[in-house]
PDB file of all heavy atoms in Angstrom:
ATOM      1  N   ASP P 126     167.282 104.442  -7.805  1.00 96.00           N
ATOM      2  CA  ASP P 126     166.667 104.132  -6.514  1.00 96.00           C
ATOM      3  C   ASP P 126     166.976 105.261  -5.555  1.00 96.00           C
ATOM      4  O   ASP P 126     167.470 106.330  -5.975  1.00 96.00           O
ATOM      5  CB  ASP P 126     167.157 102.780  -5.973  1.00 96.00           C
ATOM      6  CG  ASP P 126     168.679 102.705  -5.864  1.00 96.00           C
ATOM      7  OD1 ASP P 126     169.332 103.772  -5.698  1.00 96.00           O
ATOM      8  OD2 ASP P 126     169.230 101.598  -5.940  1.00 96.00           O
ATOM      9  N   SER P 127     166.693 105.069  -4.287  1.00 95.00           N
ATOM     10  CA  SER P 127     166.847 106.155  -3.318  1.00 95.00           C
ATOM     11  C   SER P 127     168.302 106.551  -3.087  1.00 95.00           C
ATOM     12  O   SER P 127     168.572 107.604  -2.504  1.00 95.00           O
ATOM     13  CB  SER P 127     166.204 105.761  -1.990  1.00 95.00           C
ATOM     14  OG  SER P 127     166.797 104.578  -1.482  1.00 95.00           O
ATOM     15  N   SER P 128     169.229 105.726  -3.541  1.00 95.00           N
ATOM     16  CA  SER P 128     170.644 106.085  -3.399  1.00 95.00           C
ATOM     17  C   SER P 128     171.179 106.800  -4.635  1.00 95.00           C
ATOM     18  O   SER P 128     172.367 107.110  -4.709  1.00 95.00           O
ATOM     19  CB  SER P 128     171.483 104.837  -3.122  1.00 95.00           C
ATOM     20  OG  SER P 128     171.485 103.981  -4.249  1.00 95.00           O
ATOM     21  N   SER P 129     170.303 107.058  -5.613  1.00 97.00           N
ATOM     22  CA  SER P 129     170.698 107.734  -6.862  1.00 97.00           C
ATOM     23  C   SER P 129     170.328 109.204  -6.806  1.00 97.00           C
ATOM     24  O   SER P 129     169.466 109.623  -6.022  1.00 97.00           O
ATOM     25  CB  SER P 129     169.992 107.091  -8.057  1.00 97.00           C
ATOM     26  OG  SER P 129     170.107 105.696  -8.067  1.00 97.00           O
ATOM     27  N   VAL P 130     170.955 109.991  -7.691  1.00 98.00           N
ATOM     28  CA  VAL P 130     170.546 111.379  -7.886  1.00 98.00           C
ATOM     29  C   VAL P 130     170.472 111.642  -9.385  1.00 98.00           C
ATOM     30  O   VAL P 130     171.309 111.150 -10.154  1.00 98.00           O
ATOM     31  CB  VAL P 130     171.511 112.376  -7.202  1.00 98.00           C
ATOM     32  CG1 VAL P 130     172.906 112.334  -7.828  1.00 98.00           C
ATOM     33  CG2 VAL P 130     170.952 113.797  -7.268  1.00 98.00           C
ATOM     34  N   ILE P 131     169.439 112.371  -9.788  1.00 98.00           N
ATOM     35  CA  ILE P 131     169.264 112.779 -11.174  1.00 98.00           C
ATOM     36  C   ILE P 131     169.553 114.270 -11.264  1.00 98.00           C
ATOM     37  O   ILE P 131     168.941 115.073 -10.547  1.00 98.00           O
ATOM     38  CB  ILE P 131     167.833 112.487 -11.666  1.00 98.00           C
ATOM     39  CG1 ILE P 131     167.540 110.985 -11.604  1.00 98.00           C
ATOM     40  CG2 ILE P 131     167.643 113.012 -13.091  1.00 98.00           C
ATOM     41  CD1 ILE P 131     166.078 110.651 -11.843  1.00 98.00           C
ATOM     42  N   LEU P 132     170.486 114.646 -12.150  1.00 98.00           N
ATOM     43  CA  LEU P 132     170.819 116.046 -12.385  1.00 98.00           C
ATOM     44  C   LEU P 132     170.332 116.378 -13.787  1.00 98.00           C
ATOM     45  O   LEU P 132     170.872 115.878 -14.781  1.00 98.00           O
ATOM     46  CB  LEU P 132     172.329 116.269 -12.265  1.00 98.00           C
ATOM     47  CG  LEU P 132     172.972 115.835 -10.941  1.00 98.00           C
ATOM     48  CD1 LEU P 132     174.481 116.072 -10.978  1.00 98.00           C
ATOM     49  CD2 LEU P 132     172.344 116.561  -9.759  1.00 98.00           C
ATOM     50  N   ALA P 133     169.281 117.192 -13.875  1.00 98.00           N
ATOM     51  CA  ALA P 133     168.629 117.447 -15.162  1.00 98.00           C
ATOM     52  C   ALA P 133     168.696 118.918 -15.522  1.00 98.00           C
ATOM     53  O   ALA P 133     168.493 119.791 -14.667  1.00 98.00           O
ATOM     54  CB  ALA P 133     167.167 116.994 -15.110  1.00 98.00           C
ATOM     55  N   ASP P 134     168.963 119.179 -16.792  1.00 98.00           N
ATOM     56  CA  ASP P 134     168.916 120.554 -17.298  1.00 98.00           C
ATOM     57  C   ASP P 134     167.541 121.160 -17.013  1.00 98.00           C
ATOM     58  O   ASP P 134     166.515 120.499 -17.112  1.00 98.00           O
ATOM     59  CB  ASP P 134     169.190 120.558 -18.804  1.00 98.00           C
ATOM     60  CG  ASP P 134     169.359 121.963 -19.362  1.00 98.00           C
ATOM     61  OD1 ASP P 134     168.342 122.678 -19.486  1.00 98.00           O
ATOM     62  OD2 ASP P 134     170.497 122.341 -19.691  1.00 98.00           O
ATOM     63  N   LYS P 135     167.540 122.425 -16.663  1.00 97.00           N
ATOM     64  CA  LYS P 135     166.302 123.108 -16.276  1.00 97.00           C
ATOM     65  C   LYS P 135     165.242 123.062 -17.362  1.00 97.00           C
ATOM     66  O   LYS P 135     164.036 123.101 -17.070  1.00 97.00           O
ATOM     67  CB  LYS P 135     166.633 124.575 -15.950  1.00 97.00           C
ATOM     68  CG  LYS P 135     165.504 125.364 -15.315  1.00 97.00           C
ATOM     69  CD  LYS P 135     165.284 124.983 -13.875  1.00 97.00           C
ATOM     70  CE  LYS P 135     164.283 125.891 -13.188  1.00 97.00           C
ATOM     71  NZ  LYS P 135     163.997 125.435 -11.805  1.00 97.00           N
ATOM     72  N   LEU P 136     165.633 122.947 -18.640  1.00 96.00           N
ATOM     73  CA  LEU P 136     164.669 123.041 -19.732  1.00 96.00           C
ATOM     74  C   LEU P 136     164.379 121.707 -20.415  1.00 96.00           C
ATOM     75  O   LEU P 136     163.893 121.691 -21.550  1.00 96.00           O
ATOM     76  CB  LEU P 136     165.158 124.058 -20.774  1.00 96.00           C
ATOM     77  CG  LEU P 136     165.249 125.507 -20.298  1.00 96.00           C
ATOM     78  CD1 LEU P 136     165.578 126.431 -21.463  1.00 96.00           C
ATOM     79  CD2 LEU P 136     163.981 125.977 -19.594  1.00 96.00           C
ATOM     80  N   VAL P 137     164.624 120.589 -19.725  1.00 97.00           N
ATOM     81  CA  VAL P 137     164.285 119.309 -20.346  1.00 97.00           C
ATOM     82  C   VAL P 137     162.769 119.189 -20.508  1.00 97.00           C
ATOM     83  O   VAL P 137     161.980 119.845 -19.820  1.00 97.00           O
ATOM     84  CB  VAL P 137     164.821 118.111 -19.534  1.00 97.00           C
ATOM     85  CG1 VAL P 137     166.332 118.068 -19.584  1.00 97.00           C
ATOM     86  CG2 VAL P 137     164.293 118.114 -18.110  1.00 97.00           C
TER      87      VAL P 137
END
Side-chain angles (χ1 to χ4, degrees):
D126 56 27
S127 59
S128 67
S129 311
V130 65
I131 299 170
L132 304 178
D134 188 286
K135 190 74 173 175
L136 295 187
V137 292

